[in-house]
Amino acid sequence: MEGEYWNAEMELLSREEIEALQLRRLRDTLERCERSPFYREWFAAAGFDPSRLRSMSDLRRLPCMDKTTLRGDDPRRFLTVPLDEVVRVHSSSGTTGQATVIFHTAADIEAWAQLVARCMYMTGVRRRDVFQNMMGYGLFTGGLGFHYAAERIGAMVIPAGSGNSKRQIQLMRDFHTTVVHIIPSYALYLLEVFAELGLDPRADTDLRIAFIGAEPHSEGLRKRVEEGYGVRAYNSYGLSEMCGPGVAFECPAQQGMHVWEDSFYLEVLDPETLEPVEAGEEGELVFTSLNREAMPLLRYRTRDLAFVYPGECACGRAHRRISRIKGRSDDMFIVKGVNIFPMQVEKVLLGVLGVGSNYQIVLDTVRSMDEMRVLVEVAGELWRGEVKELNELKRRITDELRQEILVTPRVELVEPGSLPAGEGKAVRVLDRREHAKGVGDG
Ligand code: AMP
Ligand code: ZN
């Protein structure tokens, strides 16, 4: 018989049990780390003696690591196992800069598959489901991470990969796909392709669940996916440095993403002072892996900004929940001295009726001044409608953006489908300003 939980033992741990398990697993991880040349030096430089760890907070005596730390050394020096125990390598999808390399043993791959299976099962995926994985396969973890998990559950997997929209729709119809994993910006784009083909995903497919993640997106975007496809859409968070997807995931309550704290120790820190912030307060997510073999990472700074929900989840799981990711501290941009996150713009746009499925923020230097333009695709019906209505739409968007971000951008309405829609993570900001040249790091 099918139970309610994929891994009841881990999912139903109490707070006390989670904390006790974390301490045990952290000790094992630190012991393991001492086999790695990198960590031996890292510990020595910090004067850190792993055998003296008494509580999780003692970990704070170690400095945080980030992508620079990973890039600064030969990745093999992080290994805690001989290279011949490594069965897979993945890397992060950073758009600029050198990709970071992450090694996995067979046990790492299995633990990861089990974690993602736990996530999928939690939202209701079962053996009878047909799962179409529309994420890039390859070095990017989004593809294979879900692939093996769905197979563990026993669902039928369609390893569709990304792109080729018409074929995706064909596959969905031919195989009666019930569950998809899709980049959120691409999910909106695909809705237009359905419309072009004269199809309505609500009536013409068997879809019931969508996993959306890998890039920041707003609640408004989730709503559009849920309404457009007639599905429940669940937010999926992860990063290749911790394994990939499966780090945090929404449960049916859809009130934040449970971080699987049996596998990851989460700190939320003020990005400036690196001091912990309170539950409910926004900070940078910093993770320590607790059961990874090949390449454990300690206090890894994600640059992702979110807060922990105070209180308990309606689903009964005690694993803490993080909010939707507001953005990365490194995708914040400053216009006329004001800090702005692309997600603030998206939140406004997707709340306005008549806005289509894509947008882009373009920053330029005009006569030594910052100029911010927001290009917005208009919904099809409106684009073919009256100029008066388009002007009204433009005015509303401008007003609402000004209230949210405190500067007045130039809003330009553009034809549906005219902005670049990639197959991978969306590029929301095009910063062409003089001072922006050469900076930015993936
Ligand atoms: P990668 O290691 O290439 O898979 O990229 C991981 C990064 O993607 C994370 O650090 C986040 O910045 C972003 N990301 C992944 N999942 C989500 C999500 N559900 N919401 C927002 N950003 C996400
Ligand atoms: Zn829950």
Side-chain angles (χ1 to χ4, degrees), residues 122 249-256 258 312-317 319 321:
M122 172 168 73
F249 216 85
E250 272 183 334
C251 69
Q254 290 181 313
Q255 265 287 317
H258 289 284
E312 279 156 30
C313 184
C315 79
R317 291 174 182 84
H319 297 260
R321 291 163 296 152

Side-chain angles (χ1 to χ4, degrees), residues 91-112:
S91 81
S92 71
S93 59
T95 43
T96 57
Q98 190 191 327
T100 50
V101 174
I102 306 294
F103 293 114
H104 303 260
T105 64
D108 288 335
I109 295 290
E110 184 54 29
W112 178 26

Side-chain angles (χ1 to χ4, degrees), residues 118-124 210-212 217 219 222 226 232-237 247-260 309 313 315 317 321-324:
R118 189 195 294 183
C119 300
M120 298 178 82
Y121 198 89
M122 172 168 73
T123 64
F211 299 121
I212 56 176
H217 56 283
E219 183 61 32
R222 184 234 291 275
E226 292 198 323
R232 293 286 295 276
Y234 295 98
N235 196 353
S236 155
Y237 171 83
V247 175
F249 216 85
E250 272 183 334
C251 69
Q254 290 181 313
Q255 265 287 317
M257 299 180 273
H258 289 284
V259 173
W260 296 124
Y309 279 92
C313 184
C315 79
R317 291 174 182 84
R321 291 163 296 152
I322 52 170
S323 67
R324 178 177 290 295

Side-chain angles (χ1 to χ4, degrees), residues 112 116 120 125 130-137 140-150 157-163 168 172 177-184 186-187 190 207 209-215 225 232 234-238 244-246 249 423:
W112 178 26
V116 182
M120 298 178 82
V125 177
V130 177
F131 172 61
Q132 187 164 332
N133 195 9
M134 302 164 68
M135 287 277 173
Y137 277 69
F140 173 55
T141 53
L144 290 172
F146 269 74
H147 180 99
Y148 288 108
V157 181
I158 309 173
S162 62
Q168 298 281 7
M172 278 181 203
T177 302
T178 55
V179 181
V180 290
H181 178 210
I182 185 167
I183 299 254
Y186 184 66
L190 196 66
L207 293 177
I209 294 176
F211 299 121
I212 56 176
E215 66 181 11
V225 171
R232 293 286 295 276
Y234 295 98
N235 196 353
S236 155
Y237 171 83
F249 216 85
E423 295 163 3

Side-chain angles (χ1 to χ4, degrees), residues 267-289:
E267 296 171 85
V268 186
L269 306 182
D270 178 318
E272 299 294 328
T273 63
L274 294 181
E275 288 298 316
V277 302
E278 298 286 318
E281 269 177 52
E282 191 174 274
E284 178 175 339
L285 305 178
V286 175
F287 288 104
T288 296
S289 67

Side-chain angles (χ1 to χ4, degrees), residues 30 34 43-44 46-54 61-62:
L30 291 176
E34 288 186 291
F43 291 170
F48 179 80
D49 178 358
S51 67
R52 291 180 49 200
L53 184 101
R54 293 289 166 269
R61 295 206 300 260
L62 266 182

Side-chain angles (χ1 to χ4, degrees), residues 21-295:
L21 179 65
Q22 286 190 324
L23 190 56
R24 280 204 307 280
R25 289 192 167 174
L26 178 62
R27 287 205 173 107
D28 292 346
T29 298
L30 291 176
E31 206 180 295
R32 170 174 282 286
C33 284
E34 288 186 291
R35 294 176 217 158
S36 125
F38 167 83
Y39 280 113
R40 280 199 300 271
E41 287 166 22
W42 190 248
F43 291 170
F48 179 80
D49 178 358
S51 67
R52 291 180 49 200
L53 184 101
R54 293 289 166 269
S55 69
M56 295 308 280
S57 58
D58 287 344
L59 192 59
R60 299 196 52 223
R61 295 206 300 260
L62 266 182
C64 291
M65 324 172 49
D66 61 10
K67 272 204 204 293
T68 327
T69 328
L70 294 179
R71 286 174 186 155
D73 218 324
D74 179 338
R76 287 167 298 191
R77 295 186 77 249
F78 288 84
L79 282 175
T80 73
V81 297
L83 197 56
D84 61 7
E85 280 187 39
V86 171
V87 301
R88 177 110 57 87
V89 58
H90 275 287
S91 81
S92 71
S93 59
T95 43
T96 57
Q98 190 191 327
T100 50
V101 174
I102 306 294
F103 293 114
H104 303 260
T105 64
D108 288 335
I109 295 290
E110 184 54 29
W112 178 26
Q114 291 297 331
L115 270 181
V116 182
R118 189 195 294 183
C119 300
M120 298 178 82
Y121 198 89
M122 172 168 73
T123 64
V125 177
R126 295 294 182 268
R127 295 177 62 82
R128 59 189 168 277
D129 277 301
V130 177
F131 172 61
Q132 187 164 332
N133 195 9
M134 302 164 68
M135 287 277 173
Y137 277 69
L139 283 168
F140 173 55
T141 53
L144 290 172
F146 269 74
H147 180 99
Y148 288 108
E151 285 191 356
R152 293 295 184 281
I153 292 176
M156 182 174 98
V157 181
I158 309 173
S162 62
N164 208 340
S165 307
K166 290 193 175 140
R167 184 156 156 272
Q168 298 281 7
I169 294 174
Q170 184 74 44
L171 287 168
M172 278 181 203
R173 287 162 54 80
D174 287 350
F175 293 109
H176 299 277
T177 302
T178 55
V179 181
V180 290
H181 178 210
I182 185 167
I183 299 254
S185 51
Y186 184 66
L188 286 197
Y189 169 76
L190 196 66
L191 276 177
E192 282 176 21
V193 183
F194 267 101
E196 272 167 33
L197 296 173
L199 295 171
D200 173 3
R202 309 180 68 107
D204 301 316
T205 72
D206 295 297
L207 293 177
R208 59 185 199 89
I209 294 176
F211 299 121
I212 56 176
E215 66 181 11
H217 56 283
S218 58
E219 183 61 32
L221 195 155
R222 184 234 291 275
K223 288 262 155 58
R224 283 193 180 206
V225 171
E226 292 198 323
E227 281 157 20
Y229 289 90
V231 297
R232 293 286 295 276
Y234 295 98
N235 196 353
S236 155
Y237 171 83
L239 59 156
S240 13
E241 290 83 357
M242 285 299 121
C243 62
V247 175
F249 216 85
E250 272 183 334
C251 69
Q254 290 181 313
Q255 265 287 317
M257 299 180 273
H258 289 284
V259 173
W260 296 124
E261 293 183 285
D262 54 300
S263 304
F264 307 100
Y265 173 60
L266 167 67
E267 296 171 85
V268 186
L269 306 182
D270 178 318
E272 299 294 328
T273 63
L274 294 181
E275 288 298 316
V277 302
E278 298 286 318
E281 269 177 52
E282 191 174 274
E284 178 175 339
L285 305 178
V286 175
F287 288 104
T288 296
S289 67
L290 294 175
N291 63 353
R292 289 175 49 74
E293 285 189 350
M295 196 171 161

Side-chain angles (χ1 to χ4, degrees), residues 314-417:
C315 79
R317 291 174 182 84
H319 297 260
R320 283 183 298 165
R321 291 163 296 152
I322 52 170
S323 67
R324 178 177 290 295
I325 308 294
K326 175 178 172 192
R328 297 174 52 83
S329 56
D330 46 12
D331 62 28
M332 184 190 84
F333 54 91
I334 303 178
V335 172
K336 296 177 180 156
V338 181
N339 297 351
I340 302 171
F341 285 94
M343 267 317 96
Q344 291 177 280
V345 174
E346 177 173 313
K347 196 173 90 189
V348 166
L349 293 179
L350 295 190
V352 176
L353 204 70
V355 168
S357 55
N358 203 353
Y359 69 95
Q360 192 170 40
I361 300 163
V362 183
L363 306 173
D364 282 300
T365 307
V366 178
R367 283 188 236 106
S368 329
M369 295 272 288
D370 287 340
E371 185 197 61
M372 174 177 175
R373 286 185 300 147
V374 181
L375 312 185
V376 184
E377 284 188 11
V378 176
E381 327 79 77
L382 204 68
W383 184 253
R384 291 182 293 272
E386 297 196 14
V387 177
K388 204 175 85 213
E389 286 179 30
L390 287 175
N391 286 337
E392 171 57 18
L393 177 66
K394 190 162 144 179
R395 196 190 53 74
R396 276 207 40 211
I397 295 174
T398 312
D399 278 356
E400 294 198 17
L401 279 175
R402 184 193 308 120
Q403 284 176 35
E404 170 70 31
I405 61 177
L406 309 176
V407 298
T408 311
R410 230 172 75 199
V411 173
E412 294 175 17
L413 301 182
V414 302
E415 189 174 350

